[in-house]
Amino acid sequence: MNIFRFLGDMSHILSFVILLLKITQGKSAAGISLRTQELYMIVFCSRYLDLFWNFSSLYNSFLKVVFIACSSAIVYIIRFKSPQKDTWNPELDNFPIQYLIGPCAVAGLLINQDWTPFEMIWAFSIYLEAVAILPQLFLLQKQGEVENLTSHYVAALGAYRGLYLMNWVYRYFTEDDYLQRIVWFAGTVQTGLYIDFFYHYYQSKRGGLSRPVKLP
Amino acid sequence: GNKPPAKDEL
């Protein structure tokens, strides 16, 4: 464990807290992509299958359960719970996620760390996480302006994998034979997708005023 | 083949 990875996990937890607060207190999922939340649920349920046999640390096992539970709860609330379910707009949030899941599944089959079913599913979840934010970014693009809490949610989510990139650099230089090309590649793509958002987020928050984040 | 690296990250 190092500070970058710890801060990354804290940023990830913060993103869950912000989103759960927004949809439970604000009683609205407006501006939130259910498609992205469904992809995250698939990512965590597939990646953390090793919960049952890989106890690398209590910290890891605990957070795996937290991430599966939170992502499932968020999908449940937005899909089935009133009044949030009525605030979800399927016309707006209509990114064809099958075009994300399909290629990631093929990539997981072809490029993985071992030819066991779990390694293929694990690689699939790594690739899928890299692109899971796309429906959310497309939704924000359509709406032009980003609600304040939503902008903090996306910023925390982007920061989490960005901090993981620093963690991988740190581990590469401090540990011998540390090699994780799959997550390095996917994590770079994932963080890259946020660069445009981060630029507008920074511009809107720079003046200290909480001007709304505007996406062109 | 060589064992895949341990999965010690989330």
Side-chain angles (χ1 to χ4, degrees):
Chain A
M1 174 58 79
N2 60 65
I3 184 65
F4 302 113
R5 187 178 143 210
F6 180 72
L7 288 178
D9 288 336
M10 292 308 114
S11 184
H12 199 184
I13 291 170
L14 180 63
S15 73
F16 277 116
V17 168
I18 295 172
L19 183 53
L20 276 166
L21 278 179
K22 175 182 166 62
I23 62 176
T24 53
Q25 307 308 316
K27 296 251 180 291
S28 164
I32 297 299
S33 165
L34 172 64
R35 295 278 171 261
T36 283
Q37 300 309 317
E38 289 166 341
L39 290 177
Y40 281 134
M41 191 171 91
I42 296 171
V43 165
F44 297 128
C45 291
S46 53
R47 185 179 310 170
Y48 299 148
L49 287 173
D50 67 345
L51 192 60
F52 303 108
W53 70 80
N54 172 10
F55 298 104
S56 68
S57 71
L58 197 59
Y59 171 88
N60 269 16
S61 298
F62 172 68
L63 285 183
K64 287 177 182 179
V65 172
V66 167
F67 291 171
I68 289 174
C70 287
S71 57
S72 307
I74 288 164
V75 168
Y76 172 78
I77 291 171
I78 300 179
R79 239 189 203 286
F80 302 111
K81 211 156 174 307
S82 289
Q84 288 84 350
K85 72 176 169 52
D86 310 317
T87 62
W88 176 58
N89 182 340
E91 275 79 46
L92 269 177
D93 184 18
N94 61 357
F95 192 98
I97 58 174
Q98 63 274 20
Y99 297 150
L100 297 176
I101 297 175
C104 288
V106 171
L109 275 174
L110 300 179
I111 308 166
N112 51 63
Q113 281 168 343
D114 197 356
W115 300 98
T116 62
F118 173 66
E119 284 295 334
M120 293 177 182
I121 293 172
W122 181 82
F124 157 69
S125 82
I126 295 291
Y127 302 135
L128 188 61
E129 188 191 356
V131 295
I133 196 65
L134 282 173
Q136 179 64 61
L137 294 178
F138 270 62
L139 183 61
L140 296 182
Q141 202 76 29
K142 279 185 190 170
Q143 293 180 323
E145 199 165 296
V146 185
E147 189 273 325
N148 204 33
L149 261 184
T150 307
S151 70
H152 297 314
Y153 164 68
V154 176
L157 208 46
Y160 132 70
R161 213 60 176 172
L163 284 159
Y164 257 73
L165 286 180
M166 297 177 202
N167 150 65
W168 292 323
V169 170
Y170 176 85
R171 292 189 71 177
Y172 181 77
F173 287 111
T174 57
E175 296 174 26
D176 51 359
D177 87 355
Y178 174 70
L179 216 54
Q180 281 282 2
R181 289 197 189 88
I182 289 182
V183 293
W184 294 348
F185 167 72
T188 305
V189 168
Q190 182 167 340
T191 307
L193 292 176
Y194 286 83
I195 287 176
D196 173 57
F197 172 83
F198 277 141
Y199 171 75
H200 294 291
Y201 179 76
Y202 173 71
Q203 294 299 333
S204 74
K205 306 298 177 215
R206 190 179 49 176
L209 316 167
S210 66
R211 279 197 308 274
V213 177
K214 286 190 179 9
L215 296 178
Chain B
N2 55 336
K3 236 170 78 57
K7 300 217 174 334
D8 60 355
E9 290 184 350
L10 287 169

